[in-house]
Amino acid sequence: MANGEHVGKSITMASYLEDWLRAKTAAGRRESTLAQYRIYVDNYLAPALGHVRLADLRAFHVDRLLATMEADGRGLPTQHRVLAALSSALSTAERRRLV
């Protein structure tokens, strides 16, 4: 699992998001919530941001994700839910002092 030793310098978003999902599972999140998080990670976040190192993630990466989602016909509710999942993941990274 990601911890302060990595300090976000080498861990990719794909790897971090998998760690985050494992932590959510261990924390006892509802099955339905975890299923939605999995969809957001697998279908949107990892494909668009997975190659980016956690420490290098910037607003333009997120802007590009949203533009792609819009171009693919994803509505605002879906975009907002994906952003909420990303926000939760990044808040956890901040608490872990990875960013």
Side-chain angles (χ1 to χ4, degrees):
M1 183 171 293
N3 61 38
E5 294 173 21
H6 293 290
V7 194
K9 291 188 195 268
S10 62
I11 188 171
T12 63
M13 283 298 298
S15 178
Y16 173 71
L17 288 167
E18 289 302 320
D19 286 347
W20 175 74
L21 283 172
R22 279 192 291 277
K24 290 290 186 188
T25 301
R29 291 287 186 252
R30 288 185 323 176
E31 193 89 12
S32 60
T33 301
L34 293 171
Q36 287 302 305
Y37 285 157
R38 173 54 65 194
I39 289 168
Y40 303 149
V41 168
D42 290 349
N43 294 333
Y44 305 107
L45 297 173
L49 307 174
H51 66 283
V52 179
R53 291 185 315 198
L54 178 60
D56 294 339
L57 184 67
R58 298 291 181 266
F60 75 86
H61 293 109
V62 178
D63 291 343
R64 193 177 321 147
L65 163 67
L66 294 174
T68 300
M69 289 180 72
E70 186 174 352
D72 290 345
R74 301 296 178 231
L76 285 177
T78 302
Q79 291 177 42
H80 289 163
R81 287 190 295 269
V82 169
L83 282 179
L86 178 60
S87 178
S88 176
L90 293 175
S91 291
T92 301
E94 185 176 26
R95 282 192 305 278
R96 293 179 180 174
R97 299 178 193 257
L98 297 172
V99 292

